[in-house]
Amino acid sequence: MSERKVLNKYYPPDFDPSKIPKLKLPKDRQYVVRLMAPFNMRCKTCGEYIYKGKKFNARKETVQNETYMGLPIFRFYIKCTRCLAEITFKTDPENTDYAMEHGATRNFQAEKLLEEEEKRIQQEREEEELNNPMKVLENRTKDSKLEMEVLENLQELKELNQRQALVDFEGMIDQYREMEKREREREKEEDEREMKEMLERALVKRLRESDSDSETEEESSSKQSDKSSSDKPTDILTADKPTEAEGASAGGAKKAKVESWERSVGTLGGKGALGSLVVRKKPAVTVSKPSSVTETAAPISQTDSKPATTDSTDASKPVTTQNGSSSLSLLGAYSDSDSNDSE
């Protein structure tokens, strides 16, 4: 791949360029080149417009016996894009331009001719002033007089326009200030209306939120009242027990206030889950007391102790009063039952 980019070729030591045969080519031979139209033109045959920059495959040749300061002049042959008529133009190194020969006409040629004419007049004037100093003075006088006439005409036109155009600047300023004031008031009204709408939306939202909060408070208060009116879930343990336990105890045990742990767990002497954990002490041999009627004390069997246990359990059950408080007296129940048995 690197050999393709080599620009310098190898020449052997015995290379002699004079021995290379020269090709005998005609001086007016033509080459095919790719170029763009140098100016806008119109075909004389069909009237087709060819704009500047249109690309062509043109034939190029050197013009014979025509040079400009030793520079050769080239001629180009192109074909019309519509009728394929041949159009020719050549280079113009004197004016750094191209010159149309035949087959088409160059557009905007009048402007170019006018510029050339002005340039020619200016050149002739400079040549004349170079040889004649009096002519220079005359030309300067003419130029100054022409400039003064132009300034006077311009001043007259300005005065005429000022007389015809009656412009009230104060009125224009007042009108502009009034328009600004109306615009400012309109913007203020729009701001107030937007602020009012925003406040209304915020008020409606706040009312909705307060309504929803009041509803939720009412619901929560009703739920709390329902919950307070109903007993606690642990009241089930003592609800099925009889509330009247006065006849169970012989001596009438005192009613004690029910503690919170008794209310939730239950009494120790009840028939619930904790009733089986309470074991009554079995009394020893009873001692007879002197009385009018002597009774023989008999040992109390386990069968006889059962009704007493039931009595004690009945006495140990909580008693619910009118104000909702329950009483429990374990020690009193045991002491009463023992005294009864001893009697």
Side-chain angles (χ1 to χ4, degrees):
M1 295 294 290
S2 61
E3 292 84 3
R4 294 173 57 250
K5 298 181 181 180
V6 175
L7 300 178
N8 297 326
K9 303 299 182 181
Y10 173 73
Y11 295 100
D14 57 349
F15 175 72
D16 187 5
S18 61
K19 295 181 180 179
I20 298 174
K22 294 182 180 180
L23 296 176
K24 292 182 180 180
L25 297 175
K27 292 182 179 180
D28 57 348
R29 62 193 177 99
Q30 296 180 350
Y31 301 92
V32 177
V33 295
R34 182 78 170 173
L35 57 80
M36 292 187 293
F39 44 77
N40 298 319
M41 63 185 80
R42 184 180 181 185
C43 180
K44 290 182 179 180
T45 306
C46 62
E48 178 70 13
Y49 286 96
I50 300 172
Y51 58 88
K52 182 180 180 180
K54 179 78 175 174
K55 292 183 179 180
F56 292 94
N57 291 325
R59 291 179 289 115
K60 171 189 172 184
E61 69 176 8
T62 304
V63 180
Q64 299 297 322
N65 302 326
E66 189 174 351
T67 59
Y68 174 73
M69 298 179 67
L71 297 175
I73 295 175
F74 301 101
R75 182 181 287 113
F76 300 95
Y77 298 87
I78 61 174
K79 290 184 178 180
C80 178
T81 56
R82 184 176 180 183
C83 63
L84 300 178
E86 192 173 56
I87 300 171
T88 63
F89 56 89
K90 61 182 180 179
T91 59
D92 186 8
E94 182 179 0
N95 300 317
T96 62
D97 199 3
Y98 291 84
M100 175 61 66
E101 280 193 326
H102 72 277
T105 57
R106 182 171 179 174
N107 295 339
F108 309 109
Q109 188 71 16
E111 185 178 357
K112 184 183 177 182
L113 295 175
L114 181 61
E115 292 177 357
E116 291 179 354
E117 186 67 21
E118 290 179 354
K119 190 182 295 184
R120 187 182 60 79
I121 294 171
Q122 184 69 20
Q123 189 175 1
E124 290 179 355
R125 181 178 177 179
E126 290 177 356
E127 291 178 355
E128 188 177 3
E129 290 178 353
L130 185 61
N131 300 323
N132 191 358
M134 292 300 294
K135 194 71 175 176
V136 176
L137 185 59
E138 291 178 0
N139 292 335
R140 286 180 182 177
T141 306
K142 288 180 181 179
D143 293 340
S144 60
K145 190 180 291 186
L146 180 63
E147 187 176 357
M148 290 175 65
E149 290 179 357
V150 169
L151 289 175
E152 289 177 358
N153 294 332
L154 183 61
Q155 190 67 23
E156 289 179 0
L157 290 174
K158 286 182 178 180
E159 291 177 358
L160 182 61
N161 292 333
Q162 289 178 359
R163 272 189 258 117
Q164 291 179 354
L166 299 175
V167 180
D168 187 8
F169 295 102
E170 295 295 334
M172 291 176 63
I173 293 172
D174 294 339
Q175 187 177 1
Y176 178 72
R177 288 176 180 173
E178 186 178 357
M179 186 168 54
E180 278 189 347
K181 185 177 180 181
R182 286 200 302 267
E183 186 69 20
R184 204 178 299 112
E185 290 178 355
R186 186 181 61 81
E187 291 179 357
K188 187 175 180 180
E189 291 177 357
E190 289 181 357
D191 294 341
E192 290 178 355
R193 186 176 66 255
E194 290 179 358
M195 184 65 69
K196 188 175 180 181
E197 291 177 357
M198 291 173 64
L199 291 175
E200 288 179 355
R201 287 198 296 268
L203 181 60
V204 171
K205 186 177 180 181
R206 190 178 299 172
L207 290 174
R208 289 178 180 174
E209 290 179 356
S210 62
D211 294 340
S212 61
D213 293 341
S214 61
E215 290 177 359
T216 52
E217 288 178 0
E218 289 177 359
E219 291 178 359
S220 62
S221 62
S222 61
K223 288 181 181 179
Q224 288 179 0
S225 62
D226 295 340
K227 184 181 282 187
S228 62
S229 62
S230 62
D231 293 337
K232 292 183 179 181
T234 55
D235 292 344
I236 276 177
L237 298 174
T238 58
D240 56 346
K241 307 238 169 94
T243 58
E244 296 178 359
E246 291 82 359
S249 60
K254 294 181 179 180
K255 298 178 182 180
K257 185 178 179 181
V258 179
E259 300 294 338
S260 61
W261 62 272
E262 292 176 355
R263 187 176 179 83
S264 61
V265 177
T267 58
L268 294 174
K271 295 181 180 180
L274 299 177
S276 60
L277 299 177
V278 179
V279 180
R280 183 184 171 194
K281 290 178 67 176
K282 294 182 180 181
V285 179
T286 59
V287 181
S288 62
K289 295 181 180 180
S291 63
S292 61
V293 181
T294 58
E295 294 180 356
T296 306
I300 299 172
S301 61
Q302 190 173 359
T303 57
D304 297 332
S305 64
K306 288 180 180 179
T309 306
T310 57
D311 295 339
S312 63
T313 55
D314 293 337
S316 63
K317 290 178 182 180
V319 177
T320 306
T321 59
Q322 290 181 358
N323 57 2
S325 64
S326 59
S327 62
L328 179 64
S329 177
L330 294 175
L331 298 176
Y334 283 120
S335 63
D336 292 341
S337 61
D338 291 341
S339 63
N340 291 332
D341 291 338
S342 64
E343 290 174 358

